[in-house]
mmCIF file of all heavy atoms in Angstrom:
data_model
loop_
_atom_site.group_PDB
_atom_site.id
_atom_site.type_symbol
_atom_site.label_atom_id
_atom_site.label_comp_id
_atom_site.label_asym_id
_atom_site.label_seq_id
_atom_site.Cartn_x
_atom_site.Cartn_y
_atom_site.Cartn_z
ATOM 1 N N ALA A 1 0.821 -1.183 -0.006
ATOM 2 C CA ALA A 1 -0.025 -0.009 0.018
ATOM 3 C C ALA A 1 0.828 1.265 -0.004
ATOM 4 O O ALA A 1 0.599 2.216 -0.720
ATOM 5 C CB ALA A 1 -0.937 -0.007 1.228
ATOM 6 N N VAL A 2 1.922 1.250 0.830
ATOM 7 C CA VAL A 2 2.837 2.455 0.832
ATOM 8 C C VAL A 2 3.533 2.609 -0.530
ATOM 9 O O VAL A 2 3.674 3.756 -0.991
ATOM 10 C CB VAL A 2 3.813 2.304 1.989
ATOM 11 C CG1 VAL A 2 4.878 3.427 1.913
ATOM 12 C CG2 VAL A 2 3.114 2.338 3.308
ATOM 13 N N ARG A 3 3.990 1.553 -1.071
ATOM 14 C CA ARG A 3 4.636 1.599 -2.418
ATOM 15 C C ARG A 3 3.682 2.153 -3.451
ATOM 16 O O ARG A 3 4.037 2.977 -4.335
ATOM 17 C CB ARG A 3 5.160 0.231 -2.831
ATOM 18 C CG ARG A 3 5.850 0.229 -4.127
ATOM 19 C CD ARG A 3 7.120 1.018 -4.160
ATOM 20 N NE ARG A 3 8.164 0.426 -3.308
ATOM 21 C CZ ARG A 3 9.351 1.004 -3.101
ATOM 22 N NH1 ARG A 3 9.615 2.198 -3.598
ATOM 23 N NH2 ARG A 3 10.232 0.377 -2.313
ATOM 24 N N LYS A 4 2.459 1.701 -3.426
ATOM 25 C CA LYS A 4 1.422 2.177 -4.350
ATOM 26 C C LYS A 4 1.221 3.698 -4.211
ATOM 27 O O LYS A 4 1.074 4.430 -5.196
ATOM 28 C CB LYS A 4 0.111 1.409 -4.114
ATOM 29 C CG LYS A 4 -1.022 1.854 -5.032
ATOM 30 C CD LYS A 4 -2.262 0.969 -4.786
ATOM 31 C CE LYS A 4 -3.455 1.488 -5.624
ATOM 32 N NZ LYS A 4 -3.951 2.730 -5.126
ATOM 33 N N LEU A 5 1.210 4.160 -2.947
ATOM 34 C CA LEU A 5 1.023 5.613 -2.731
ATOM 35 C C LEU A 5 2.218 6.386 -3.239
ATOM 36 O O LEU A 5 2.026 7.439 -3.923
ATOM 37 C CB LEU A 5 0.899 5.821 -1.172
ATOM 38 C CG LEU A 5 0.729 7.315 -0.725
ATOM 39 C CD1 LEU A 5 -0.546 7.894 -1.286
ATOM 40 C CD2 LEU A 5 0.749 7.369 0.840
ATOM 41 N N GLU A 6 3.391 5.882 -3.040
ATOM 42 C CA GLU A 6 4.612 6.570 -3.553
ATOM 43 C C GLU A 6 4.557 6.644 -5.091
ATOM 44 O O GLU A 6 4.896 7.673 -5.687
ATOM 45 C CB GLU A 6 5.865 5.824 -3.109
ATOM 46 C CG GLU A 6 6.121 6.043 -1.592
ATOM 47 C CD GLU A 6 7.344 5.222 -1.160
ATOM 48 O OE1 GLU A 6 7.533 4.070 -1.630
ATOM 49 O OE2 GLU A 6 8.152 5.769 -0.408
ATOM 50 N N GLU A 7 4.112 5.542 -5.731
ATOM 51 C CA GLU A 7 4.085 5.526 -7.184
ATOM 52 C C GLU A 7 3.008 6.502 -7.702
ATOM 53 O O GLU A 7 3.241 7.217 -8.681
ATOM 54 C CB GLU A 7 3.673 4.139 -7.666
ATOM 55 C CG GLU A 7 4.870 3.161 -7.489
ATOM 56 C CD GLU A 7 4.430 1.703 -7.813
ATOM 57 O OE1 GLU A 7 3.225 1.514 -8.121
ATOM 58 O OE2 GLU A 7 5.282 0.846 -7.762
ATOM 59 N N GLU A 8 1.863 6.663 -6.967
ATOM 60 C CA GLU A 8 0.827 7.565 -7.421
ATOM 61 C C GLU A 8 1.289 9.018 -7.236
ATOM 62 O O GLU A 8 0.997 9.910 -8.060
ATOM 63 C CB GLU A 8 -0.433 7.339 -6.590
ATOM 64 C CG GLU A 8 -1.580 8.189 -7.068
ATOM 65 C CD GLU A 8 -2.945 7.656 -6.546
ATOM 66 O OE1 GLU A 8 -3.001 6.577 -5.952
ATOM 67 O OE2 GLU A 8 -3.941 8.412 -6.677
ATOM 68 N N LEU A 9 1.999 9.289 -6.144
ATOM 69 C CA LEU A 9 2.501 10.629 -5.894
ATOM 70 C C LEU A 9 3.722 10.978 -6.767
ATOM 71 O O LEU A 9 4.006 12.153 -6.920
ATOM 72 C CB LEU A 9 2.854 10.794 -4.380
ATOM 73 C CG LEU A 9 1.615 10.770 -3.428
ATOM 74 C CD1 LEU A 9 2.180 10.777 -1.968
ATOM 75 C CD2 LEU A 9 0.690 11.981 -3.673
ATOM 76 N N GLY A 10 4.394 9.961 -7.190
ATOM 77 C CA GLY A 10 5.617 10.163 -7.990
ATOM 78 C C GLY A 10 6.793 10.583 -7.182
ATOM 79 O O GLY A 10 7.802 11.169 -7.705
ATOM 80 N N VAL A 11 6.848 10.279 -5.803
ATOM 81 C CA VAL A 11 7.941 10.635 -4.981
ATOM 82 C C VAL A 11 8.220 9.439 -4.011
ATOM 83 O O VAL A 11 7.364 8.607 -3.789
ATOM 84 C CB VAL A 11 7.693 11.883 -4.095
ATOM 85 C CG1 VAL A 11 7.501 13.108 -4.966
ATOM 86 C CG2 VAL A 11 6.470 11.715 -3.252
ATOM 87 N N THR A 12 9.448 9.381 -3.502
ATOM 88 C CA THR A 12 9.799 8.417 -2.506
ATOM 89 C C THR A 12 9.569 9.045 -1.101
ATOM 90 O O THR A 12 10.152 10.089 -0.815
ATOM 91 C CB THR A 12 11.295 7.991 -2.610
ATOM 92 O OG1 THR A 12 11.463 7.389 -3.934
ATOM 93 C CG2 THR A 12 11.627 6.997 -1.564
ATOM 94 N N LEU A 13 8.752 8.437 -0.314
ATOM 95 C CA LEU A 13 8.409 8.984 1.002
ATOM 96 C C LEU A 13 9.408 8.550 2.052
ATOM 97 O O LEU A 13 9.727 9.304 3.009
ATOM 98 C CB LEU A 13 7.008 8.516 1.428
ATOM 99 C CG LEU A 13 5.827 9.001 0.525
ATOM 100 C CD1 LEU A 13 4.516 8.319 1.012
ATOM 101 C CD2 LEU A 13 5.699 10.498 0.498
ATOM 102 N N PHE A 14 9.940 7.279 1.937
ATOM 103 C CA PHE A 14 10.808 6.759 2.954
ATOM 104 C C PHE A 14 12.119 6.220 2.384
ATOM 105 O O PHE A 14 12.170 5.644 1.305
ATOM 106 C CB PHE A 14 10.105 5.584 3.638
ATOM 107 C CG PHE A 14 8.739 5.960 4.250
ATOM 108 C CD1 PHE A 14 7.546 5.620 3.627
ATOM 109 C CD2 PHE A 14 8.708 6.687 5.473
ATOM 110 C CE1 PHE A 14 6.355 5.972 4.199
ATOM 111 C CE2 PHE A 14 7.490 7.018 6.018
ATOM 112 C CZ PHE A 14 6.265 6.666 5.377
ATOM 113 N N GLU A 15 13.164 6.397 3.175
ATOM 114 C CA GLU A 15 14.437 5.653 2.926
ATOM 115 C C GLU A 15 14.414 4.379 3.761
ATOM 116 O O GLU A 15 14.292 4.471 4.967
ATOM 117 C CB GLU A 15 15.598 6.555 3.302
ATOM 118 C CG GLU A 15 15.820 7.812 2.467
ATOM 119 C CD GLU A 15 16.996 8.592 2.885
ATOM 120 O OE1 GLU A 15 17.806 8.045 3.686
ATOM 121 O OE2 GLU A 15 17.128 9.688 2.412
ATOM 122 N N ARG A 16 14.470 3.270 3.126
ATOM 123 C CA ARG A 16 14.342 1.989 3.766
ATOM 124 C C ARG A 16 15.703 1.421 4.075
ATOM 125 O O ARG A 16 16.438 1.105 3.195
ATOM 126 C CB ARG A 16 13.512 1.058 2.906
ATOM 127 C CG ARG A 16 12.072 1.472 2.684
ATOM 128 C CD ARG A 16 11.473 0.870 1.376
ATOM 129 N NE ARG A 16 10.070 1.080 1.205
ATOM 130 C CZ ARG A 16 9.551 2.190 0.691
ATOM 131 N NH1 ARG A 16 10.364 3.246 0.316
ATOM 132 N NH2 ARG A 16 8.260 2.330 0.590
ATOM 133 N N GLY A 17 16.050 1.320 5.350
ATOM 134 C CA GLY A 17 17.263 0.715 5.812
ATOM 135 C C GLY A 17 17.025 -0.662 6.424
ATOM 136 O O GLY A 17 15.876 -1.139 6.543
ATOM 137 N N HIS A 18 18.069 -1.282 6.917
ATOM 138 C CA HIS A 18 17.964 -2.602 7.526
ATOM 139 C C HIS A 18 17.291 -2.477 8.927
ATOM 140 O O HIS A 18 16.408 -3.318 9.244
ATOM 141 C CB HIS A 18 19.312 -3.257 7.689
ATOM 142 C CG HIS A 18 19.920 -3.681 6.396
ATOM 143 N ND1 HIS A 18 19.375 -4.620 5.558
ATOM 144 C CD2 HIS A 18 21.030 -3.201 5.727
ATOM 145 C CE1 HIS A 18 20.129 -4.779 4.518
ATOM 146 N NE2 HIS A 18 21.145 -3.879 4.582
ATOM 147 N N GLY A 19 17.555 -1.489 9.679
ATOM 148 C CA GLY A 19 17.022 -1.424 11.006
ATOM 149 C C GLY A 19 15.963 -0.322 11.270
ATOM 150 O O GLY A 19 15.212 -0.474 12.179
ATOM 151 N N GLU A 20 15.930 0.658 10.389
ATOM 152 C CA GLU A 20 15.076 1.764 10.605
ATOM 153 C C GLU A 20 14.652 2.431 9.320
ATOM 154 O O GLU A 20 15.353 2.329 8.318
ATOM 155 C CB GLU A 20 15.701 2.786 11.506
ATOM 156 C CG GLU A 20 14.764 3.879 11.994
ATOM 157 C CD GLU A 20 15.456 4.864 13.006
ATOM 158 O OE1 GLU A 20 16.063 5.803 12.508
ATOM 159 O OE2 GLU A 20 15.365 4.638 14.235
ATOM 160 N N VAL A 21 13.452 3.044 9.366
ATOM 161 C CA VAL A 21 12.932 3.763 8.157
ATOM 162 C C VAL A 21 13.005 5.277 8.480
ATOM 163 O O VAL A 21 12.613 5.666 9.605
ATOM 164 C CB VAL A 21 11.484 3.291 7.863
ATOM 165 C CG1 VAL A 21 10.922 4.117 6.724
ATOM 166 C CG2 VAL A 21 11.481 1.786 7.530
ATOM 167 N N THR A 22 13.461 6.008 7.511
ATOM 168 C CA THR A 22 13.509 7.481 7.752
ATOM 169 C C THR A 22 12.674 8.162 6.659
ATOM 170 O O THR A 22 12.610 7.630 5.482
ATOM 171 C CB THR A 22 14.928 7.970 7.776
ATOM 172 O OG1 THR A 22 15.535 7.677 6.533
ATOM 173 C CG2 THR A 22 15.673 7.374 8.941
ATOM 174 N N LEU A 23 12.163 9.327 6.920
ATOM 175 C CA LEU A 23 11.428 10.101 5.931
ATOM 176 C C LEU A 23 12.368 10.886 5.070
ATOM 177 O O LEU A 23 13.384 11.430 5.476
ATOM 178 C CB LEU A 23 10.493 11.093 6.628
ATOM 179 C CG LEU A 23 9.143 10.529 7.170
ATOM 180 C CD1 LEU A 23 8.539 11.481 8.161
ATOM 181 C CD2 LEU A 23 8.220 10.255 6.049
ATOM 182 N N THR A 24 12.039 10.898 3.733
ATOM 183 C CA THR A 24 12.787 11.793 2.843
ATOM 184 C C THR A 24 12.298 13.179 3.015
ATOM 185 O O THR A 24 11.282 13.412 3.693
ATOM 186 C CB THR A 24 12.516 11.359 1.376
ATOM 187 O OG1 THR A 24 11.141 11.568 1.114
ATOM 188 C CG2 THR A 24 12.946 9.907 1.194
ATOM 189 N N PRO A 25 13.045 14.175 2.542
ATOM 190 C CA PRO A 25 12.519 15.580 2.657
ATOM 191 C C PRO A 25 11.163 15.745 2.026
ATOM 192 O O PRO A 25 10.239 16.389 2.600
ATOM 193 C CB PRO A 25 13.545 16.402 1.880
ATOM 194 C CG PRO A 25 14.801 15.597 2.062
ATOM 195 C CD PRO A 25 14.399 14.124 2.037
ATOM 196 N N ALA A 26 10.964 15.091 0.864
ATOM 197 C CA ALA A 26 9.594 15.141 0.261
ATOM 198 C C ALA A 26 8.507 14.451 1.162
ATOM 199 O O ALA A 26 7.448 14.900 1.316
ATOM 200 C CB ALA A 26 9.651 14.474 -1.093
ATOM 201 N N GLY A 27 8.998 13.303 1.785
ATOM 202 C CA GLY A 27 8.082 12.583 2.681
ATOM 203 C C GLY A 27 7.701 13.420 3.913
ATOM 204 O O GLY A 27 6.520 13.366 4.335
ATOM 205 N N GLU A 28 8.620 14.222 4.406
ATOM 206 C CA GLU A 28 8.284 15.054 5.578
ATOM 207 C C GLU A 28 7.181 16.036 5.243
ATOM 208 O O GLU A 28 6.232 16.149 6.002
ATOM 209 C CB GLU A 28 9.577 15.878 5.967
ATOM 210 C CG GLU A 28 10.715 15.062 6.580
ATOM 211 C CD GLU A 28 10.504 14.885 8.109
ATOM 212 O OE1 GLU A 28 9.469 15.304 8.555
ATOM 213 O OE2 GLU A 28 11.366 14.231 8.740
ATOM 214 N N ALA A 29 7.322 16.674 4.055
ATOM 215 C CA ALA A 29 6.274 17.652 3.687
ATOM 216 C C ALA A 29 4.985 16.958 3.386
ATOM 217 O O ALA A 29 3.902 17.483 3.853
ATOM 218 C CB ALA A 29 6.770 18.468 2.493
ATOM 219 N N LEU A 30 5.004 15.861 2.642
ATOM 220 C CA LEU A 30 3.758 15.236 2.269
ATOM 221 C C LEU A 30 3.044 14.583 3.446
ATOM 222 O O LEU A 30 1.789 14.600 3.462
ATOM 223 C CB LEU A 30 4.051 14.213 1.172
ATOM 224 C CG LEU A 30 4.459 14.787 -0.216
ATOM 225 C CD1 LEU A 30 4.922 13.675 -1.149
ATOM 226 C CD2 LEU A 30 3.271 15.565 -0.833
ATOM 227 N N LEU A 31 3.779 14.049 4.371
ATOM 228 C CA LEU A 31 3.182 13.429 5.534
ATOM 229 C C LEU A 31 2.606 14.457 6.463
ATOM 230 O O LEU A 31 1.586 14.122 7.158
ATOM 231 C CB LEU A 31 4.229 12.524 6.223
ATOM 232 C CG LEU A 31 4.166 10.986 5.874
ATOM 233 C CD1 LEU A 31 2.759 10.440 6.269
ATOM 234 C CD2 LEU A 31 4.407 10.818 4.404
ATOM 235 N N ARG A 32 3.147 15.660 6.558
ATOM 236 C CA ARG A 32 2.491 16.674 7.332
ATOM 237 C C ARG A 32 1.073 16.970 6.789
ATOM 238 O O ARG A 32 0.089 17.107 7.523
ATOM 239 C CB ARG A 32 3.336 18.011 7.290
ATOM 240 C CG ARG A 32 4.483 17.979 8.262
ATOM 241 C CD ARG A 32 5.024 19.336 8.547
ATOM 242 N NE ARG A 32 5.555 20.012 7.343
ATOM 243 C CZ ARG A 32 6.809 19.884 6.917
ATOM 244 N NH1 ARG A 32 7.622 19.172 7.614
ATOM 245 N NH2 ARG A 32 7.182 20.442 5.782
ATOM 246 N N GLN A 33 0.997 17.042 5.440
ATOM 247 C CA GLN A 33 -0.288 17.333 4.806
ATOM 248 C C GLN A 33 -1.215 16.095 5.046
ATOM 249 O O GLN A 33 -2.398 16.263 5.265
ATOM 250 C CB GLN A 33 -0.132 17.597 3.335
ATOM 251 C CG GLN A 33 -1.425 17.889 2.618
ATOM 252 C CD GLN A 33 -2.061 19.187 3.123
ATOM 253 O OE1 GLN A 33 -1.440 20.099 3.569
ATOM 254 N NE2 GLN A 33 -3.417 19.196 3.115
ATOM 255 N N ALA A 34 -0.686 14.944 4.944
ATOM 256 C CA ALA A 34 -1.462 13.677 5.110
ATOM 257 C C ALA A 34 -2.106 13.645 6.536
ATOM 258 O O ALA A 34 -3.217 13.306 6.722
ATOM 259 C CB ALA A 34 -0.589 12.452 4.880
ATOM 260 N N ARG A 35 -1.287 14.093 7.505
ATOM 261 C CA ARG A 35 -1.850 14.145 8.876
ATOM 262 C C ARG A 35 -3.002 15.139 9.007
ATOM 263 O O ARG A 35 -3.963 14.880 9.725
ATOM 264 C CB ARG A 35 -0.735 14.420 9.893
ATOM 265 C CG ARG A 35 0.341 13.365 9.975
ATOM 266 C CD ARG A 35 1.315 13.635 11.103
ATOM 267 N NE ARG A 35 2.444 12.733 11.095
ATOM 268 C CZ ARG A 35 3.634 13.076 10.532
ATOM 269 N NH1 ARG A 35 3.837 14.210 9.974
ATOM 270 N NH2 ARG A 35 4.591 12.143 10.542
ATOM 271 N N ARG A 36 -2.875 16.276 8.333
ATOM 272 C CA ARG A 36 -3.951 17.278 8.376
ATOM 273 C C ARG A 36 -5.213 16.648 7.720
ATOM 274 O O ARG A 36 -6.311 16.897 8.180
ATOM 275 C CB ARG A 36 -3.548 18.510 7.665
ATOM 276 C CG ARG A 36 -2.574 19.406 8.499
ATOM 277 C CD ARG A 36 -2.434 20.813 7.899
ATOM 278 N NE ARG A 36 -1.677 20.806 6.679
ATOM 279 C CZ ARG A 36 -0.361 21.019 6.609
ATOM 280 N NH1 ARG A 36 0.312 21.186 7.745
ATOM 281 N NH2 ARG A 36 0.255 21.069 5.449
ATOM 282 N N VAL A 37 -5.006 15.920 6.564
ATOM 283 C CA VAL A 37 -6.178 15.335 5.944
ATOM 284 C C VAL A 37 -6.790 14.326 6.903
ATOM 285 O O VAL A 37 -8.032 14.251 6.988
ATOM 286 C CB VAL A 37 -5.744 14.632 4.616
ATOM 287 C CG1 VAL A 37 -6.841 13.779 4.091
ATOM 288 C CG2 VAL A 37 -5.235 15.661 3.631
ATOM 289 N N LEU A 38 -6.027 13.467 7.523
ATOM 290 C CA LEU A 38 -6.551 12.507 8.446
ATOM 291 C C LEU A 38 -7.228 13.081 9.662
ATOM 292 O O LEU A 38 -8.283 12.603 10.138
ATOM 293 C CB LEU A 38 -5.439 11.520 8.915
ATOM 294 C CG LEU A 38 -4.835 10.657 7.781
ATOM 295 C CD1 LEU A 38 -3.639 9.872 8.227
ATOM 296 C CD2 LEU A 38 -5.875 9.684 7.222
ATOM 297 N N ASP A 39 -6.667 14.207 10.121
ATOM 298 C CA ASP A 39 -7.326 14.907 11.211
ATOM 299 C C ASP A 39 -8.712 15.450 10.856
ATOM 300 O O ASP A 39 -9.693 15.368 11.574
ATOM 301 C CB ASP A 39 -6.411 16.047 11.692
ATOM 302 C CG ASP A 39 -5.240 15.620 12.478
ATOM 303 O OD1 ASP A 39 -5.237 14.474 12.947
ATOM 304 O OD2 ASP A 39 -4.310 16.444 12.624
ATOM 305 N N GLU A 40 -8.820 15.971 9.610
ATOM 306 C CA GLU A 40 -10.089 16.490 9.111
ATOM 307 C C GLU A 40 -11.088 15.361 8.909
ATOM 308 O O GLU A 40 -12.282 15.530 9.200
ATOM 309 C CB GLU A 40 -9.886 17.267 7.822
ATOM 310 C CG GLU A 40 -9.202 18.648 7.942
ATOM 311 C CD GLU A 40 -9.953 19.588 8.830
ATOM 312 O OE1 GLU A 40 -11.192 19.541 8.754
ATOM 313 O OE2 GLU A 40 -9.322 20.274 9.644
#
């Protein structure tokens, strides 16, 4: 589901490592908006 979302948005949201996942700069901005959408 997350990969499908990234493909639809055309950006990579997360950097996937072996032990931890971090947000990309684009992911930081888009996830802030996503949280606002979910709050509404």
Side-chain angles (χ1 to χ4, degrees):
V2 172
R3 179 65 69 184
K4 179 176 175 292
L5 179 62
E6 289 178 318
E7 291 173 354
E8 185 167 350
L9 293 173
V11 297
T12 299
L13 299 175
F14 302 103
E15 293 182 12
R16 297 157 172 81
H18 291 294
E20 189 175 87
V21 175
T22 58
L23 281 163
T24 65
E28 290 276 4
L30 291 171
L31 264 297
R32 279 197 299 270
Q33 182 63 33
R35 293 187 190 98
R36 285 194 287 268
V37 170
L38 294 172
D39 287 344
E40 289 298 322

